[in-house]
Amino acid sequence: MAYRVLIVDDFTMPRQVFEAAVRQSEQYTLAASLSSADEAVSYCRRNAVDLVLMDVVMVEGMSGMEASRQIKELLPKVKIIMVTSMPEVSYIRQAKAIGVDSFWYKEIQEQPILEIMDRTMAGESVYPESTPRVAIGNAVSTDFTERELEVLREMTTGATNMEIAERLFISTATVKSHIESMLQKTGFHTRTELAVHARVDGIVIKE
């Protein structure tokens, strides 16, 4: 009996790619292809699903991460492969914490999605060893410390130094020091320029 696959992505092209992958193997059959994480949770409540291919970032409604959390709580035996083109460093940690079975970067594709599907359904948990390296100014994303990335993530919301300090339980002087360090690494002249590039390139995303 073929595994029933639910595809969830708010962009048409990735959905078509995943649909083609499902059709390539007799092990799988397409249960549904949806553009909303909210719809995915509702679908899983009403229909039998064996495997979910879930995008992380959705333009509207709940995120793929939240939908995966709800599906795992409701139906822990359903396998979930999280897929994303965003290199946000916290995604792998979040996915593991909620029990997502495997994780796949759309842009890297070190292994075909069909191979990840096969290994996941065979009981493996397949995760990349690291997040992709993304250029930002004169630096790459891996040049930043974990604390700098935390500060940068808050910066993308437009938060002031004082607000960032309160959210991260550090001093405003420490926040300023981290920002100056990142500006020096990247060569950007303003915090706004730094925050905009970080958000557009998907290095940090505040849900």
Side-chain angles (χ1 to χ4, degrees):
M1 180 177 176
Y3 294 119
R4 294 156 294 203
V5 181
L6 172 64
I7 296 169
V8 190
D9 198 305
D10 56 353
F11 285 98
T12 303
M13 185 66 73
R15 287 203 309 274
Q16 292 176 340
V17 170
F18 296 141
E19 288 166 13
V22 168
R23 296 189 186 101
Q24 285 178 19
S25 174
E26 294 181 355
Q27 290 192 72
Y28 304 101
T29 185
L30 183 64
S33 187
L34 307 174
S35 60
S36 161
D38 299 73
E39 290 179 323
V41 175
S42 297
Y43 185 92
C44 287
R45 286 196 176 104
R46 303 190 311 268
N47 303 275
V49 174
D50 300 301
L51 173 64
V52 181
L53 303 182
M54 178 75 75
D55 190 24
V56 179
V57 179
M58 303 287 175
V59 175
E60 297 180 354
M62 73 172 73
S63 69
M65 200 71 71
E66 173 59 21
S68 295
R69 184 190 66 78
Q70 292 189 24
I71 291 169
K72 277 295 185 181
E73 287 184 354
L74 181 69
L75 301 161
K77 291 185 178 181
V78 172
K79 302 286 188 180
I80 299 178
I81 301 176
M82 190 72 72
V83 298
T84 186
S85 58
M86 299 296 182
E88 159 63 69
V89 296
S90 70
Y91 283 164
I92 288 179
R93 182 173 65 251
Q94 291 181 57
K96 287 181 177 179
I98 63 178
V100 167
D101 300 274
S102 297
F103 198 101
W104 188 77
Y105 284 113
K106 298 178 186 177
E107 306 301 325
I108 305 301
Q109 300 185 17
E110 292 180 350
Q111 297 171 301
I113 185 60
L114 190 58
E115 181 178 334
I116 303 300
M117 292 164 62
D118 289 344
R119 292 173 62 186
T120 300
M121 295 313 296
E124 285 190 63
S125 182
V126 187
Y127 274 77
E129 293 184 0
S130 62
T131 56
R133 288 163 53 93
V134 178
I136 176 169
N138 299 329
V140 292
S141 52
T142 51
D143 290 337
F144 299 137
T145 66
E146 185 172 344
R147 180 59 91 178
E148 285 174 345
L149 289 169
E150 289 176 352
V151 170
L152 187 56
R153 190 175 294 110
E154 298 299 335
M155 287 171 60
T156 63
T157 70
T160 64
N161 285 8
M162 183 173 293
E163 289 170 334
I164 295 172
E166 291 175 351
R167 293 175 187 176
L168 299 180
F169 304 101
I170 56 180
S171 68
T172 53
T174 299
V175 172
K176 184 178 179 181
S177 176
H178 286 311
I179 293 173
E180 289 175 348
S181 173
M182 289 186 285
L183 289 173
Q184 185 176 19
K185 290 175 181 178
T186 59
F188 294 141
H189 298 294
T190 67
R191 56 179 285 143
T192 300
E193 188 179 12
L194 172 62
V196 168
H197 278 275
R199 179 61 183 87
V200 169
D201 294 336
I203 293 170
V204 287
I205 300 173
K206 181 75 172 180
E207 296 291 352

